[in-house]
Amino acid sequence: MGDMTNSDFYSKNQRNESSHGGEFGCTMEELRSLMELRGTEAVVKIKETYGDTEAICRRLKTSPVEGLPGTAPDLEKRKQIFGQNFIPPKKPKTFLQLVWEALQDVTLIILEIAAIISLGLSFYHPPGENNEGCATAQGGAEDEGEAEAGWIEGAAILLSVICVVLVTAFNDWSKEKQFRGLQSRIEQEQKFTVVRAGQVVQIPVAEIVVGDIAQVKYGDLLPADGLFIQGNDLKIDESSLTGESDQVRKSVDKDPMLLSGTHVMEGSGRMVVTAVGVNSQTGIIFTLLGAGGEEEEKKDKKAKQQDGAAAMEMQPLKSAEGGDADDKKKANMHKKEKSVLQGKLTKLAVQIGKAGLVMSAITVIILVLYFTVDTFVVNKKPWLPECTPVYVQYFVKFFIIGVTVLVVAVPEGLPLAVTISLAYSVKKMMKDNNLVRHLDACETMGNATAICSDKTGTLTTNRMTVVQAYVGDVHYKEIPDPSSINTKTMELLVNAIAINSAYTTKILPPEKEGALPRQVGNKTECGLLGFVLDLKQDYEPVRTQMPEEKLYKVYTFNSVRKSMSTVIKLPDESFRMYSKGASEIVLKKCCKILNGAGEPRVFRPRDRDEMVKKVIEPMACDGLRTICVAYRDFPSSPEPDWDNENDILNDLTCICVVGIEDPVRPEVPEAIRKCQRAGITVRMVTGDNINTARAIAIKCGIIHPGEDFLCLEGKEFNRRIRNEKGEIEQERIDKIWPKLRVLARSSPTDKHTLVKGIIDSTHTEQRQVVAVTGDGTNDGPALKKADVGFAMGIAGTDVAKEASDIILTDDNFSSIVKAVMWGRNVYDSISKFLQFQLTVNVVAVIVAFTGACITQDSPLKAVQMLWVNLIMDTFASLALATEPPTETLLLRKPYGRNKPLISRTMMKNILGHAVYQLTLIFTLLFVGEKMFQIDSGRNAPLHSPPSEHYTIIFNTFVMMQLFNEINARKIHGERNVFDGIFRNPIFCTIVLGTFAIQIVIVQFGGKPFSCSPLQLDQWMWCIFIGLGELVWGQVIATIPTSRLKFLKEAGRLTQKEEIPEEELNEDVEEIDHAERELRRGQILWFRGLNRIQTQIEVVNTFKSGASFQGALRRQSSVTSQSQDVANLSSPSRVSLSNALSSPTSLPPAAAGHSRREGVP
């Protein structure tokens, strides 16, 4: 069979060569089909067809050690033949599609219908038109020309509808564009390590080509398919592709297949890339999903939340197979419960919408009743058939007025304001080193009450240097003189450090003169290598002599072992193992120690206790990390059983203990002080020894000597929170967390337990909102559980970034403080906007309502209302949502979840300004004509020309709004509303721009805007009344809010809405109704709907496709295993993966649920 394939292969290749002119020894299809095999099948196939992996490297014209030559023509050719490593993104929605979406708005549809009816009726001249006997209110001057102009109102309404639609569509479009920009930036930032021309380089993921030799290490997310060439202890989590939660161990002879989109959980190694982009395993599944419309849609949404190209590639399938359904579940279910602002806004919008509906209905009813009673009862007019069209025209006019009231009442600018505010903040946060992956994380951060931070790299500079050492029975307080150390000891020490560390870790010469040497790779190892250099030794020759390929066995560092060991074969065939790790862990395994003469002496437990007291604790109290370096020799025969770790990692001989300093970042103490002042508790969670942790916490200002606080080790923490059966009890956690400031020697599970414990706690009246920072793969669960997860952009692994909401591009704690500031700013911007918007709403609705009831005609016409709507919605949301944050935001405590969106102070402002505006408008409406000596505009006939009277009312109304917009800049009752106004150019531009357009509308708007030009003195009066708003604002600020007990707050999240995630499944229904009414601005949150539907369809397709049958069967069995994992990330996960694996068995209602839960 092998021969046949070979000859077949060569003939094929011959054909290829004729077409390509001497290309590679295997085609894309062959490599593709090879990558579809797993485990032993794959090994057999490689043996039969190619010989071994090295032969494949030769065919791909690459060297396992040197990598590709990296010349441009060669890379180009590879891209042409084997494809590029990216999956083409979905085409963005066209502007027209967005326009169509904006048109779906209910109120706009009502308006359009009203406008069309109005247009139709204006062109229809019934015979009884001029019949005197028809209607009373039609008296007054109406000549032919005026009647002709009846169509203008309808046309103008349509025009303003078009305006609103275009603005909305444009906003959506620019939002989409921003996301794409953000996405491509994330993609460019995601790099992967490959070997080219013998040099280890980092290249963007999209640049990887077939034949590249890639270096994979713990925490990587594989960007392409490849074959494992060499490495140690490599374990991969393939659940994203297979749904199997067990880690798969990779080896050259048993299972060399490495697949894109899977996570490296342990170890390191090299692979030769065999398939990229759409030809990789993830890419193939993508194409199966029909890389056209539907799934592209999905991917693009994913792309919005995912990180990097590779992540993008693997995502859909995760959710499709349910293997990682929890990601998505968490992203939406959890977030849905989480985003405080969203919940409050939804509630508020619904409350306002209902009120508006009631008002508009009442308006229409009153108008119709008044007209019919007046015409048919009081004046006893008969209903003449020829008069019917006239009456209908009146009813249409009433209907239009009713709709206008509704339009003004519904704050459709809300979703817009939220979106603009978030998008603006996200863009600006990029400059503050916060890369936001989930929009609402930005706002949740403003409510944070607790931050659990890592120590290394976040609070400290992550630049490790050895400052103390204990070698040959002497404790050196600074770096020892090389001559004082015995040569045997020195040689062992240099070898132990150089060989037993990742060979990717190096110390390079500084980039600039006088700068510090650059540390590349693992920082602790860099510190040790720096120690070797400080002892005037060199580690390079040792590594050259013992290259990575010759290492016999490597036990890589992981959070359980807390140590790393490397075994080498000595020239006499015996073995030597070097170990390094946390001193208290490695010293427990030492039974000898090297003395001053370099000879091993016995090291008993009591010696160890003494050493801990005399050496390790003093080092730790200076805030140093202590690392112990040790070795052990093994005979050549019998060869030890390397898999029995407990026996191997024992009986060690200690070479030295070093104290490594990682200095606190200079800006951290100040940042932590700001947090504490802003009511946020900072807790440090670290893997370090408790004394080191405490010393650093004091330096940072997390704890102050003499305060009542707790510093616990992971073991002690677990002992205190678990009952006799070993189960975690919430009330036990509640006793601890309020005082806990430092958790040392903690495992990732402890971190997750702590975060979950704080979030689920009912100990305080407000639910705690917790932010967590993390960088390691194992921080994933905690980052997901937290309300806001921060991943480190530089030191963080791909897995951590994947689980996070915000990426700190400079790994710096002070950037978190910036995020808090922006988050609070978003909340405040929305409140400012609401305060402004609701004042306009209240006034406009009351004016339209009373005006319509008393004079049968709203003083503010439909078109004018729409213009007011436009300024208050779109422009005001732009102006108020882009206020830059100030440091004063950090002087108050977090709002918390139960604090209403509209506080008493805001309610006071809203009602106070409404009173002022209403008083003036009604004064103008009823005695305005006397004040200005003009004709009254009241009781004008149907198509009469616009009166100066009503124009003055409209103009004054707009002027008051403009000046009130300046008042709205402050929501906590501050006096100086102009404070910092020039720092916001957008605000100034918009206010002046609106003013200019208003002048144009009044002077030249004419019939369509129902305006007649005003004289200068009339303009002056309008502006003067507007300026009164600012004075009145000061009057309102003087009234103490505490006196106004009767004021209600609105938009409060009650306890009922605080549903724990478990119950969200049942309650999703009620949230949904509210959500639905929030319409278009929520599109952002709604787009996920069709994603889940598509996924269910995909799963069905998989079921019908034979090759996936097995995967699905496995899937269902995995669901039960994944139960415990599910509890880690979110209890609601399992239900969705079940739903996905058996969509057919769901009752329709439940299927609807599972679809809806997919809204991110």
Side-chain angles (χ1 to χ4, degrees):
M1 136 111 201
D3 296 15
M4 198 194 87
T5 0
N6 271 351
S7 55
D8 184 51
F9 165 66
Y10 283 121
S11 62
K12 216 184 205 168
N13 213 33
Q14 235 63 51
R15 285 204 298 280
N16 262 0
E17 289 202 344
S18 55
S19 60
H20 284 308
E23 298 307 349
F24 304 96
C26 32
T27 63
M28 190 170 78
E29 281 72 29
E30 286 160 6
L31 288 174
R32 227 171 108 157
S33 55
L34 173 65
M35 292 316 291
E36 283 174 0
L37 303 172
R38 301 277 176 274
T40 39
E41 284 179 29
V43 180
V44 171
K45 172 81 171 158
I46 293 174
K47 270 215 179 68
E48 283 180 357
T49 317
Y50 305 100
D52 59 0
T53 39
E54 297 222 342
I56 292 185
C57 289
R58 282 197 298 280
R59 291 196 179 188
L60 288 174
K61 304 200 173 141
T62 179
S63 140
V65 184
E66 297 283 310
L68 291 178
T71 56
D74 177 54
L75 296 177
E76 248 334 286
K77 195 157 74 176
R78 286 172 191 271
K79 281 186 188 166
Q80 276 169 7
I81 297 175
F82 297 109
Q84 290 181 317
N85 193 24
F86 88 113
I87 293 180
K90 160 186 173 281
K91 288 199 242 350
K93 281 213 169 99
T94 58
F95 191 69
L96 285 176
Q97 282 170 303
L98 292 168
V99 167
W100 178 244
E101 275 178 13
L103 278 170
Q104 311 300 308
D105 189 287
V106 189
T107 31
L108 289 182
I109 292 175
I110 297 177
L111 270 182
E112 287 153 27
I113 295 172
I116 291 166
I117 296 177
S118 158
L119 269 177
L121 285 169
S122 72
F123 287 125
Y124 170 55
H125 294 298
E129 174 95 49
N130 302 322
N131 184 334
E132 287 305 303
C134 279
T136 45
Q138 210 166 336
E142 181 175 347
D143 53 49
E144 276 310 296
E146 289 300 338
E148 294 307 306
W151 59 274
I152 293 183
E153 187 155 322
I157 295 181
L158 278 185
L159 193 75
S160 36
V161 165
I162 291 170
C163 266
V164 174
V165 166
L166 288 179
V167 168
T168 314
F170 179 75
N171 267 305
D172 281 346
W173 178 78
S174 57
K175 189 169 66 201
E176 192 115 324
K177 205 167 109 203
Q178 269 177 353
F179 268 128
R180 285 181 182 276
L182 195 70
Q183 189 50 33
S184 62
R185 179 167 161 184
I186 294 177
E187 276 167 31
Q188 282 150 16
E189 279 182 359
Q190 204 201 9
K191 294 195 161 38
F192 208 78
T193 317
V194 296
V195 182
R196 286 197 177 162
Q199 293 295 312
V200 176
V201 287
Q202 287 224 323
I203 60 169
V205 167
E207 294 294 313
I208 294 178
V209 294
V210 170
D212 257 325
I213 303 295
Q215 293 199 338
V216 296
K217 58 180 189 309
Y218 157 79
D220 282 343
L221 184 106
L222 299 182
D225 291 355
L227 296 172
F228 186 50
I229 311 176
Q230 149 288 309
N232 36 62
D233 238 19
L234 192 66
K235 287 192 187 153
I236 307 264
D237 169 16
E238 293 189 349
S239 60
S240 57
L241 276 175
T242 58
E244 301 281 352
S245 51
D246 301 339
Q247 295 175 11
V248 186
R249 191 184 222 120
K250 298 291 178 184
S251 61
V252 182
D253 46 356
K254 295 209 176 62
D255 182 0
M257 314 308 265
L258 299 176
L259 307 172
S260 58
T262 56
H263 289 130
V264 182
M265 298 312 274
E266 223 178 277
S268 60
R270 290 181 169 193
M271 72 171 188
V272 54
V273 176
T274 53
V276 293
V278 280
N279 301 307
S280 63
Q281 287 305 295
T282 336
I284 292 172
I285 296 189
F286 250 90
T287 19
L288 270 180
L289 299 183
E294 272 301 346
E295 70 78 35
E296 289 288 311
E297 177 103 0
K298 246 173 22 195
K299 183 181 72 207
D300 154 56
K301 300 308 166 329
K302 291 280 169 26
K304 285 180 183 173
Q305 310 149 0
Q306 292 313 334
D307 213 14
M312 239 171 102
E313 293 170 18
M314 55 186 273
Q315 257 342 82
L317 145 101
K318 276 190 165 177
S319 339
E321 291 222 356
D324 252 5
D326 60 295
D327 290 8
K328 292 287 95 49
K329 277 303 280 253
K330 124 117 202 316
N332 54 72
M333 290 301 291
H334 197 67
K335 283 271 190 299
K336 197 172 223 174
E337 178 239 0
K338 268 189 351 191
S339 178
V340 189
L341 186 64
Q342 231 175 299
K344 291 180 180 177
L345 281 176
T346 310
K347 197 145 163 57
L348 190 68
V350 173
Q351 287 171 348
I352 297 173
K354 283 180 184 158
L357 213 75
V358 171
M359 288 295 276
S360 64
I362 295 176
T363 314
V364 175
I365 294 169
I366 289 182
L367 284 172
V368 171
L369 282 178
Y370 186 93
F371 176 76
T372 43
V373 169
D374 188 58
T375 313
F376 303 122
V377 181
V378 180
N379 295 330
K380 301 200 165 50
K381 291 267 168 67
W383 180 299
L384 303 171
E386 62 267 29
C387 286
T388 309
V390 183
Y391 297 148
V392 169
Q393 216 161 343
Y394 268 101
F395 291 141
V396 169
K397 183 177 156 190
F398 299 151
F399 175 64
I400 289 182
I401 293 173
V403 172
T404 319
V405 173
L406 174 64
V407 172
V408 177
V410 174
E412 50 268 10
L414 250 185
L416 198 65
V418 179
T419 312
I420 291 178
S421 184
L422 286 174
Y424 170 79
S425 304
V426 167
K427 207 167 178 170
K428 289 284 191 228
M429 282 169 81
M430 291 287 269
K431 293 198 179 74
D432 284 338
N433 303 310
N434 281 299
L435 199 153
V436 181
R437 295 183 56 231
H438 296 129
L439 267 189
D440 49 3
C442 158
E443 164 263 319
T444 311
M445 202 48 217
N447 285 310
T449 53
I451 298 176
C452 297
S453 171
D454 274 357
K455 175 179 78 72
T456 312
T458 315
L459 299 174
T460 59
T461 54
N462 203 6
R463 200 192 155 80
M464 310 280 191
T465 37
V466 171
V467 287
Q468 296 187 20
Y470 179 87
V471 189
D473 292 341
V474 188
H475 183 178
Y476 298 94
K477 290 286 188 176
E478 58 255 0
I479 301 289
D481 186 292
S483 56
S484 65
I485 296 178
N486 179 289
T487 46
K488 273 200 279 188
T489 310
M490 182 67 95
E491 191 197 353
L492 271 168
L493 179 62
V494 174
N495 277 336
I497 290 176
I499 293 172
N500 185 29
S501 57
Y503 278 32
T504 47
T505 304
K506 317 191 217 354
I507 294 204
L508 302 179
E511 282 174 346
K512 294 196 246 348
E513 275 300 304
L516 294 166
R518 281 182 301 153
Q519 297 188 341
V520 181
N522 180 312
K523 296 298 193 270
T524 313
E525 291 180 351
C526 286
L528 291 168
L529 292 175
F531 179 51
V532 171
L533 299 177
D534 290 341
L535 293 173
K536 311 280 180 283
Q537 306 291 319
D538 190 3
Y539 62 87
E540 278 302 340
V542 182
R543 286 184 171 181
T544 326
Q545 194 191 336
M546 174 60 69
E548 202 170 0
E549 296 78 63
K550 286 201 187 153
L551 300 180
Y552 196 81
K553 170 94 180 128
V554 179
Y555 299 97
T556 44
F557 180 90
N558 64 26
S559 54
V560 181
R561 285 190 192 122
K562 293 249 190 242
S563 67
M564 168 179 180
S565 314
T566 305
V567 181
I568 57 171
K569 207 169 193 171
L570 299 175
D572 63 357
E573 294 292 310
S574 66
F575 300 100
R576 171 170 290 168
M577 176 178 77
Y578 294 115
S579 276
K580 66 167 192 295
S583 53
E584 54 261 58
I585 289 171
V586 177
L587 278 178
K588 279 194 185 122
K589 298 177 174 163
C590 290
C591 62
K592 298 195 185 76
I593 187 167
L594 294 183
N595 61 15
E599 297 299 329
R601 66 174 171 81
V602 177
F603 185 64
R604 293 185 298 273
R606 70 159 181 269
D607 300 333
R608 186 174 67 230
D609 296 341
E610 189 182 355
M611 184 156 165
V612 166
K613 245 196 227 69
K614 296 251 172 75
V615 180
I616 291 174
E617 283 187 358
M619 280 188 189
C621 291
D622 293 341
L624 305 183
R625 296 178 79 157
T626 52
I627 301 282
C628 174
V629 181
Y631 78 102
R632 177 182 177 184
D633 286 329
F634 295 98
S636 55
S637 65
E639 184 172 329
D641 169 14
W642 299 116
D643 288 337
N644 186 350
E645 262 181 65
N646 292 346
D647 291 358
I648 302 285
L649 294 180
N650 229 329
D651 296 340
L652 307 177
T653 306
C654 168
I655 306 173
C656 73
V657 173
V658 293
I660 298 184
E661 180 183 44
D662 182 6
V664 171
R665 287 174 180 262
E667 63 278 7
V668 161
E670 172 59 15
I672 286 182
R673 229 190 49 248
K674 282 183 186 163
C675 281
Q676 289 163 342
R677 205 174 51 213
I680 301 169
T681 314
V682 182
R683 296 182 172 80
M684 179 163 103
V685 182
T686 172
D688 255 350
N689 157 331
I690 188 146
N691 296 334
T692 313
R694 188 184 285 118
I696 295 224
I698 290 174
K699 282 186 195 162
C700 293
I702 291 179
I703 52 184
H704 304 284
E707 276 186 354
D708 178 22
F709 55 77
L710 281 174
C711 293
L712 294 180
E713 281 201 340
K715 279 203 180 95
E716 172 64 10
F717 172 69
N718 273 307
R719 196 183 59 70
R720 291 197 187 187
I721 61 171
R722 292 173 190 275
N723 58 18
E724 300 72 49
K725 295 187 195 134
E727 294 158 347
I728 298 173
E729 285 188 356
Q730 184 63 44
E731 46 271 30
R732 287 176 185 241
I733 299 186
D734 285 348
K735 286 201 186 85
I736 294 177
W737 73 257
K739 285 187 182 175
L740 182 70
R741 290 294 175 275
V742 176
L743 184 57
R745 279 276 173 258
S746 68
S747 68
T749 343
D750 297 340
K751 191 173 189 173
H752 179 264
T753 310
L754 175 66
V755 172
K756 186 174 181 321
I758 298 180
I759 288 181
D760 295 348
S761 169
T762 46
H763 182 75
T764 46
E765 75 270 30
Q766 297 279 357
R767 159 158 124 54
Q768 295 277 312
V769 177
V770 184
V772 169
T773 68
D775 52 6
T777 305
N778 41 27
D779 290 329
L783 287 171
K784 278 197 168 157
K785 178 68 194 162
D787 294 289
V788 183
F790 286 92
M792 301 299 145
I794 305 167
T797 57
D798 296 340
V799 184
K801 290 179 187 172
E802 183 87 348
S804 70
D805 301 296
I806 298 181
I807 295 173
L808 295 178
T809 49
D810 62 346
D811 289 15
N812 191 336
F813 186 84
S814 59
S815 303
I816 298 179
V817 182
K818 295 258 173 59
V820 172
M821 219 156 83
W822 276 107
R824 292 186 171 189
N825 193 48
V826 168
Y827 198 97
D828 278 8
S829 297
I830 304 295
S831 297
K832 289 171 188 173
F833 172 71
L834 273 174
Q835 176 174 308
F836 173 68
Q837 161 111 32
L838 292 178
T839 312
V840 185
N841 278 7
V842 169
V843 174
V845 167
I846 295 180
V847 167
F849 176 70
T850 47
C853 299
I854 297 169
T855 64
Q856 267 124 89
D857 182 12
S858 167
L860 298 173
K861 300 287 178 288
V863 183
Q864 296 173 346
M865 283 292 203
L866 281 164
W867 159 241
V868 170
N869 230 6
L870 198 70
I871 41 174
M872 67 183 199
D873 277 359
T874 315
F875 297 147
S877 62
L878 251 177
L880 292 168
T882 52
E883 289 272 313
T886 55
E887 289 283 329
T888 47
L889 287 170
L890 293 174
L891 297 177
R892 61 171 176 76
K893 299 274 179 277
Y895 280 145
R897 301 179 79 83
N898 304 351
K899 174 131 178 16
L901 201 49
I902 297 174
S903 60
R904 278 237 171 86
T905 315
M906 285 166 62
M907 213 47 156
K908 177 183 76 175
N909 292 342
I910 292 172
L911 295 177
H913 286 292
V915 167
Y916 173 83
Q917 295 181 12
L918 285 170
T919 315
L920 281 164
I921 286 178
F922 284 135
T923 311
L924 287 175
L925 180 59
F926 294 115
V927 295
E929 69 267 31
K930 299 194 186 67
M931 290 159 54
F932 290 107
Q933 273 100 45
I934 45 177
D935 293 337
S936 163
R938 295 196 299 276
N939 298 331
L942 197 58
H943 295 304
S944 56
S947 62
E948 282 183 10
H949 182 192
Y950 274 14
T951 309
I952 291 177
I953 294 180
F954 166 56
N955 200 16
T956 311
F957 182 61
V958 172
M959 288 302 125
M960 291 196 287
Q961 299 326 323
L962 271 183
F963 287 101
N964 193 29
E965 196 164 338
I966 300 175
N967 276 331
R969 291 182 67 247
K970 298 284 177 253
I971 48 174
H972 297 297
E974 296 92 330
R975 288 236 172 243
N976 180 5
V977 287
F978 292 101
D979 177 36
I981 195 165
F982 296 113
R983 283 215 315 275
N984 186 356
I986 303 184
F987 185 87
C988 304
T989 326
I990 284 179
V991 171
L992 296 172
T994 316
F995 187 61
I997 302 175
Q998 177 65 17
I999 295 178
V1000 174
I1001 287 180
V1002 170
Q1003 298 305 94
F1004 310 106
K1007 185 78 192 180
F1009 278 97
S1010 316
C1011 287
S1012 78
L1014 298 179
Q1015 263 79 47
L1016 188 64
D1017 61 326
Q1018 293 169 335
W1019 263 103
M1020 283 302 133
W1021 273 106
C1022 293
I1023 295 174
F1024 173 72
I1025 294 176
L1027 274 166
E1029 270 288 359
L1030 295 173
V1031 183
W1032 183 248
Q1034 296 303 314
V1035 175
I1036 294 179
T1038 328
I1039 306 170
T1041 317
S1042 49
R1043 291 284 170 81
L1044 307 170
K1045 286 280 186 287
F1046 58 88
L1047 286 183
K1048 282 271 195 304
E1049 299 134 327
R1052 168 200 285 270
L1053 269 183
T1054 47
Q1055 285 304 312
K1056 186 172 127 277
E1057 274 105 67
E1058 292 262 339
I1059 328 163
E1061 284 142 69
E1062 289 84 342
E1063 285 136 50
L1064 257 174
N1065 279 355
E1066 299 81 18
D1067 279 286
V1068 113
E1069 204 43 64
E1070 85 171 359
I1071 293 182
D1072 255 75
H1073 288 307
E1075 288 270 61
R1076 244 173 263 139
E1077 296 185 51
L1078 243 185
R1079 300 177 348 261
R1080 64 162 186 260
Q1082 251 58 345
I1083 286 175
L1084 181 60
W1085 290 298
F1086 269 174
R1087 293 225 174 110
L1089 272 178
N1090 55 7
R1091 186 159 69 208
I1092 293 284
Q1093 295 166 348
T1094 318
Q1095 280 159 12
I1096 290 180
E1097 284 154 28
V1098 170
V1099 175
N1100 283 332
T1101 327
F1102 278 175
K1103 287 183 114 169
S1104 53
S1107 59
F1108 290 95
Q1109 212 65 60
L1112 272 162
R1113 262 189 230 112
R1114 277 203 306 277
Q1115 163 56 42
S1116 46
S1117 67
V1118 173
T1119 309
S1120 52
Q1121 297 167 15
S1122 58
Q1123 202 92 21
D1124 37 288
V1125 189
N1127 295 344
L1128 279 183
S1129 49
S1130 106
S1132 45
R1133 159 191 169 176
V1134 180
S1135 61
L1136 185 65
S1137 44
N1138 286 338
L1140 284 171
S1141 44
S1142 58
T1144 40
S1145 62
L1146 278 174
H1153 265 51
S1154 65
R1155 281 182 190 180
R1156 251 183 255 117
E1157 289 156 27
V1159 182

